[in-house]
Amino acid sequence: MDINNHIKKVLFTEPEINERCIELASELDKEYEDKKPIMLSLLKGSVPFATMLTKHMKISLEFDYMKASSYHGTISSGNVAVTLMPSLKLENRHVVIIEDIIDTGTTLSTVTKILQDLHPASLEIVTLLDKPAMRKVNDIKPKYVGFIVPNEFVVGFGLDFNEDYRHLPYVGVLKEEMYK
Ligand code: XMP
Ligand code: MG
């Protein structure tokens, strides 16, 4: 019954993620001082990370949300659908995309192209997790990365398997029998 038993191993605990968020927030504070960036959280997976990251930021900023999905089950499908666009005007603004995980890079490649057409002053990516071994595109290089993860299916802290497990307070590897 307890979904914690579906986890093979915990990779990053909540205090570890919090510590990393403090470091990333201070880098972002320095880079975006006096720039009032738009922190653009990609729904739904990046919400816990966006919350924890930005609560440590001390500069002025604005929040926005966008939704793009490419993922069904445990394999990245490559078909990216944007179902919600940002509500703020991004033209001439400094935009920081907040993502939960970069896998093949297909999602962010599509999102980046769409956002570039709106002519932001700058566009960077902060991602909680990066799986560089899985990359299929070469145009996605996140400037800010929380943790590198091995090529295993991870859940928790926003990351889901078929919409469940997002509410786990840590990032862990899902037992294979849960999706096989
Ligand atoms: P791409 O391949 O476009 O995929 O970079 C990014 C999206 O795929 C999802 N994804 C995962 N979700 N555990 C998850 O829960 C994983 O290990 C994983 N790998 C990729 C995620 O939604 C991300 O936005
Ligand atoms: Mg996602």
PDB file of all heavy atoms in Angstrom, residues 1 12 18 21 45 50 52 56-57 71 86 89 107 130 137 145 160 167 171 175 177:
ATOM      1  N   MET A   1       0.824  -1.218   0.000  1.00  0.00           N
ATOM      2  CA  MET A   1       0.000   0.000   0.000  1.00  0.00           C
ATOM      3  C   MET A   1       0.856   1.266   0.000  1.00  0.00           C
ATOM      4  O   MET A   1       0.591   2.199  -0.723  1.00  0.00           O
ATOM      5  CB  MET A   1      -0.889   0.018   1.264  1.00  0.00           C
ATOM      6  CG  MET A   1      -2.379  -0.024   1.003  1.00  0.00           C
ATOM      7  SD  MET A   1      -2.915  -1.155  -0.263  1.00  0.00           S
ATOM      8  CE  MET A   1      -3.107  -2.647   0.715  1.00  0.00           C
ATOM      9  N   PHE A  12      18.152  11.186  -4.204  1.00  0.00           N
ATOM     10  CA  PHE A  12      18.349  12.506  -3.595  1.00  0.00           C
ATOM     11  C   PHE A  12      17.234  12.766  -2.593  1.00  0.00           C
ATOM     12  O   PHE A  12      16.058  12.753  -2.948  1.00  0.00           O
ATOM     13  CB  PHE A  12      18.368  13.605  -4.669  1.00  0.00           C
ATOM     14  CG  PHE A  12      19.293  13.293  -5.804  1.00  0.00           C
ATOM     15  CD1 PHE A  12      18.794  12.969  -7.059  1.00  0.00           C
ATOM     16  CD2 PHE A  12      20.670  13.274  -5.613  1.00  0.00           C
ATOM     17  CE1 PHE A  12      19.645  12.638  -8.107  1.00  0.00           C
ATOM     18  CE2 PHE A  12      21.535  12.947  -6.651  1.00  0.00           C
ATOM     19  CZ  PHE A  12      21.018  12.621  -7.899  1.00  0.00           C
ATOM     20  N   ASN A  18      17.219  20.448  -1.271  1.00  0.00           N
ATOM     21  CA  ASN A  18      17.157  21.813  -0.730  1.00  0.00           C
ATOM     22  C   ASN A  18      18.531  22.481  -0.743  1.00  0.00           C
ATOM     23  O   ASN A  18      18.668  23.638  -1.161  1.00  0.00           O
ATOM     24  CB  ASN A  18      16.591  21.775   0.688  1.00  0.00           C
ATOM     25  CG  ASN A  18      16.226  23.153   1.195  1.00  0.00           C
ATOM     26  OD1 ASN A  18      15.525  23.902   0.505  1.00  0.00           O
ATOM     27  ND2 ASN A  18      16.722  23.510   2.360  1.00  0.00           N
ATOM     28  N   CYS A  21      19.373  23.477  -4.178  1.00  0.00           N
ATOM     29  CA  CYS A  21      18.552  24.634  -4.570  1.00  0.00           C
ATOM     30  C   CYS A  21      19.142  25.936  -4.019  1.00  0.00           C
ATOM     31  O   CYS A  21      19.108  26.970  -4.687  1.00  0.00           O
ATOM     32  CB  CYS A  21      17.115  24.469  -4.098  1.00  0.00           C
ATOM     33  SG  CYS A  21      16.159  23.324  -5.099  1.00  0.00           S
ATOM     34  N   GLY A  45       5.717  18.571 -13.881  1.00  0.00           N
ATOM     35  CA  GLY A  45       6.827  17.970 -13.138  1.00  0.00           C
ATOM     36  C   GLY A  45       7.738  18.929 -12.399  1.00  0.00           C
ATOM     37  O   GLY A  45       8.327  18.570 -11.380  1.00  0.00           O
ATOM     38  N   ALA A  50      10.546  24.136  -8.773  1.00  0.00           N
ATOM     39  CA  ALA A  50      10.405  25.585  -8.969  1.00  0.00           C
ATOM     40  C   ALA A  50      10.127  26.278  -7.635  1.00  0.00           C
ATOM     41  O   ALA A  50      10.687  27.339  -7.343  1.00  0.00           O
ATOM     42  CB  ALA A  50       9.281  25.873  -9.969  1.00  0.00           C
ATOM     43  N   MET A  52      10.856  25.146  -4.524  1.00  0.00           N
ATOM     44  CA  MET A  52      11.997  25.073  -3.607  1.00  0.00           C
ATOM     45  C   MET A  52      13.144  25.974  -4.071  1.00  0.00           C
ATOM     46  O   MET A  52      13.806  26.617  -3.269  1.00  0.00           O
ATOM     47  CB  MET A  52      12.473  23.631  -3.464  1.00  0.00           C
ATOM     48  CG  MET A  52      13.436  23.448  -2.310  1.00  0.00           C
ATOM     49  SD  MET A  52      13.911  21.741  -2.078  1.00  0.00           S
ATOM     50  CE  MET A  52      12.853  21.227  -0.748  1.00  0.00           C
ATOM     51  N   HIS A  56      14.480  30.352  -2.337  1.00  0.00           N
ATOM     52  CA  HIS A  56      15.816  30.760  -1.900  1.00  0.00           C
ATOM     53  C   HIS A  56      16.363  31.935  -2.698  1.00  0.00           C
ATOM     54  O   HIS A  56      17.461  32.413  -2.422  1.00  0.00           O
ATOM     55  CB  HIS A  56      16.789  29.585  -1.999  1.00  0.00           C
ATOM     56  CG  HIS A  56      16.454  28.457  -1.064  1.00  0.00           C
ATOM     57  ND1 HIS A  56      16.427  28.614   0.304  1.00  0.00           N
ATOM     58  CD2 HIS A  56      16.114  27.163  -1.304  1.00  0.00           C
ATOM     59  CE1 HIS A  56      16.099  27.453   0.863  1.00  0.00           C
ATOM     60  NE2 HIS A  56      15.901  26.567  -0.091  1.00  0.00           N
ATOM     61  N   MET A  57      15.633  32.388  -3.721  1.00  0.00           N
ATOM     62  CA  MET A  57      16.105  33.521  -4.520  1.00  0.00           C
ATOM     63  C   MET A  57      15.678  34.815  -3.839  1.00  0.00           C
ATOM     64  O   MET A  57      14.571  34.921  -3.316  1.00  0.00           O
ATOM     65  CB  MET A  57      15.570  33.437  -5.954  1.00  0.00           C
ATOM     66  CG  MET A  57      16.189  32.272  -6.723  1.00  0.00           C
ATOM     67  SD  MET A  57      15.530  32.069  -8.391  1.00  0.00           S
ATOM     68  CE  MET A  57      16.236  33.508  -9.228  1.00  0.00           C
ATOM     69  N   TYR A  71       5.683  12.576 -23.029  1.00  0.00           N
ATOM     70  CA  TYR A  71       6.069  11.370 -22.329  1.00  0.00           C
ATOM     71  C   TYR A  71       4.889  10.491 -21.988  1.00  0.00           C
ATOM     72  O   TYR A  71       3.914  10.933 -21.435  1.00  0.00           O
ATOM     73  CB  TYR A  71       6.777  11.768 -21.032  1.00  0.00           C
ATOM     74  CG  TYR A  71       7.948  10.896 -20.749  1.00  0.00           C
ATOM     75  CD1 TYR A  71       9.091  10.996 -21.509  1.00  0.00           C
ATOM     76  CD2 TYR A  71       7.885   9.955 -19.747  1.00  0.00           C
ATOM     77  CE1 TYR A  71      10.172  10.195 -21.263  1.00  0.00           C
ATOM     78  CE2 TYR A  71       8.963   9.147 -19.496  1.00  0.00           C
ATOM     79  CZ  TYR A  71      10.106   9.268 -20.251  1.00  0.00           C
ATOM     80  OH  TYR A  71      11.173   8.470 -20.004  1.00  0.00           O
ATOM     81  N   PRO A  86       2.812  30.466 -21.969  1.00  0.00           N
ATOM     82  CA  PRO A  86       2.974  31.431 -20.867  1.00  0.00           C
ATOM     83  C   PRO A  86       1.960  32.565 -21.002  1.00  0.00           C
ATOM     84  O   PRO A  86       1.582  32.923 -22.114  1.00  0.00           O
ATOM     85  CB  PRO A  86       4.403  31.955 -21.068  1.00  0.00           C
ATOM     86  CG  PRO A  86       5.080  30.991 -21.967  1.00  0.00           C
ATOM     87  CD  PRO A  86       4.027  30.307 -22.779  1.00  0.00           C
ATOM     88  N   LYS A  89       4.044  38.484 -21.263  1.00  0.00           N
ATOM     89  CA  LYS A  89       4.697  38.833 -22.524  1.00  0.00           C
ATOM     90  C   LYS A  89       6.196  38.600 -22.339  1.00  0.00           C
ATOM     91  O   LYS A  89       6.803  39.169 -21.432  1.00  0.00           O
ATOM     92  CB  LYS A  89       4.401  40.307 -22.816  1.00  0.00           C
ATOM     93  CG  LYS A  89       4.512  40.682 -24.248  1.00  0.00           C
ATOM     94  CD  LYS A  89       3.824  42.036 -24.494  1.00  0.00           C
ATOM     95  CE  LYS A  89       4.372  42.686 -25.757  1.00  0.00           C
ATOM     96  NZ  LYS A  89       5.658  43.368 -25.528  1.00  0.00           N
ATOM     97  N   THR A 107      11.745  17.495 -25.681  1.00  0.00           N
ATOM     98  CA  THR A 107      10.769  18.443 -25.131  1.00  0.00           C
ATOM     99  C   THR A 107      11.340  19.849 -25.112  1.00  0.00           C
ATOM    100  O   THR A 107      10.739  20.793 -25.636  1.00  0.00           O
ATOM    101  CB  THR A 107      10.373  18.041 -23.686  1.00  0.00           C
ATOM    102  OG1 THR A 107       9.933  16.692 -23.684  1.00  0.00           O
ATOM    103  CG2 THR A 107       9.284  18.945 -23.136  1.00  0.00           C
ATOM    104  N   ASP A 130      19.459  15.868 -14.895  1.00  0.00           N
ATOM    105  CA  ASP A 130      19.912  15.734 -16.277  1.00  0.00           C
ATOM    106  C   ASP A 130      20.371  14.299 -16.486  1.00  0.00           C
ATOM    107  O   ASP A 130      21.097  13.749 -15.658  1.00  0.00           O
ATOM    108  CB  ASP A 130      21.068  16.720 -16.546  1.00  0.00           C
ATOM    109  CG  ASP A 130      21.409  16.820 -18.029  1.00  0.00           C
ATOM    110  OD1 ASP A 130      20.659  16.263 -18.855  1.00  0.00           O
ATOM    111  OD2 ASP A 130      22.427  17.465 -18.349  1.00  0.00           O
ATOM    112  N   VAL A 137      19.247  15.154 -29.020  1.00  0.00           N
ATOM    113  CA  VAL A 137      19.402  16.424 -29.746  1.00  0.00           C
ATOM    114  C   VAL A 137      20.706  17.060 -29.256  1.00  0.00           C
ATOM    115  O   VAL A 137      21.145  16.796 -28.137  1.00  0.00           O
ATOM    116  CB  VAL A 137      18.212  17.389 -29.470  1.00  0.00           C
ATOM    117  CG1 VAL A 137      16.897  16.762 -29.882  1.00  0.00           C
ATOM    118  CG2 VAL A 137      18.162  17.807 -28.014  1.00  0.00           C
ATOM    119  N   VAL A 145      22.206  22.870 -13.638  1.00  0.00           N
ATOM    120  CA  VAL A 145      21.753  21.487 -13.432  1.00  0.00           C
ATOM    121  C   VAL A 145      21.858  21.150 -11.944  1.00  0.00           C
ATOM    122  O   VAL A 145      22.905  21.371 -11.325  1.00  0.00           O
ATOM    123  CB  VAL A 145      22.615  20.500 -14.259  1.00  0.00           C
ATOM    124  CG1 VAL A 145      22.228  19.057 -13.951  1.00  0.00           C
ATOM    125  CG2 VAL A 145      22.494  20.782 -15.753  1.00  0.00           C
ATOM    126  N   ASP A 160       6.822  11.776 -12.356  1.00  0.00           N
ATOM    127  CA  ASP A 160       5.756  10.793 -12.218  1.00  0.00           C
ATOM    128  C   ASP A 160       6.016   9.526 -13.013  1.00  0.00           C
ATOM    129  O   ASP A 160       6.818   9.499 -13.939  1.00  0.00           O
ATOM    130  CB  ASP A 160       4.440  11.392 -12.739  1.00  0.00           C
ATOM    131  CG  ASP A 160       4.449  11.532 -14.259  1.00  0.00           C
ATOM    132  OD1 ASP A 160       5.371  12.205 -14.784  1.00  0.00           O
ATOM    133  OD2 ASP A 160       3.574  10.955 -14.920  1.00  0.00           O
ATOM    134  N   HIS A 167       4.296  13.217  -5.666  1.00  0.00           N
ATOM    135  CA  HIS A 167       4.241  13.791  -4.316  1.00  0.00           C
ATOM    136  C   HIS A 167       5.283  13.204  -3.372  1.00  0.00           C
ATOM    137  O   HIS A 167       5.353  13.614  -2.215  1.00  0.00           O
ATOM    138  CB  HIS A 167       2.833  13.617  -3.739  1.00  0.00           C
ATOM    139  CG  HIS A 167       2.355  12.191  -3.725  1.00  0.00           C
ATOM    140  ND1 HIS A 167       2.365  11.392  -4.831  1.00  0.00           N
ATOM    141  CD2 HIS A 167       1.852  11.434  -2.723  1.00  0.00           C
ATOM    142  CE1 HIS A 167       1.890  10.192  -4.515  1.00  0.00           C
ATOM    143  NE2 HIS A 167       1.580  10.198  -3.234  1.00  0.00           N
ATOM    144  N   VAL A 171      13.774  12.057  -4.735  1.00  0.00           N
ATOM    145  CA  VAL A 171      13.894  11.454  -6.065  1.00  0.00           C
ATOM    146  C   VAL A 171      14.447  10.048  -5.878  1.00  0.00           C
ATOM    147  O   VAL A 171      15.461   9.862  -5.194  1.00  0.00           O
ATOM    148  CB  VAL A 171      14.847  12.271  -6.973  1.00  0.00           C
ATOM    149  CG1 VAL A 171      15.107  11.522  -8.292  1.00  0.00           C
ATOM    150  CG2 VAL A 171      14.278  13.653  -7.261  1.00  0.00           C
ATOM    151  N   LYS A 175      11.094   0.648  -8.782  1.00  0.00           N
ATOM    152  CA  LYS A 175      11.347  -0.784  -8.998  1.00  0.00           C
ATOM    153  C   LYS A 175      10.829  -1.187 -10.374  1.00  0.00           C
ATOM    154  O   LYS A 175       9.721  -0.789 -10.756  1.00  0.00           O
ATOM    155  CB  LYS A 175      10.625  -1.620  -7.925  1.00  0.00           C
ATOM    156  CG  LYS A 175      11.312  -1.606  -6.576  1.00  0.00           C
ATOM    157  CD  LYS A 175      10.551  -2.482  -5.579  1.00  0.00           C
ATOM    158  CE  LYS A 175      11.202  -2.413  -4.210  1.00  0.00           C
ATOM    159  NZ  LYS A 175      10.327  -2.938  -3.151  1.00  0.00           N
ATOM    160  N   GLU A 177       9.568  -3.882 -11.452  1.00  0.00           N
ATOM    161  CA  GLU A 177       8.293  -4.622 -11.487  1.00  0.00           C
ATOM    162  C   GLU A 177       7.086  -3.679 -11.463  1.00  0.00           C
ATOM    163  O   GLU A 177       5.970  -4.097 -11.745  1.00  0.00           O
ATOM    164  CB  GLU A 177       8.206  -5.648 -10.347  1.00  0.00           C
ATOM    165  CG  GLU A 177       8.187  -5.039  -8.947  1.00  0.00           C
ATOM    166  CD  GLU A 177       9.439  -5.374  -8.139  1.00  0.00           C
ATOM    167  OE1 GLU A 177      10.542  -5.332  -8.712  1.00  0.00           O
ATOM    168  OE2 GLU A 177       9.287  -5.687  -6.940  1.00  0.00           O
TER     169      GLU A 177
END
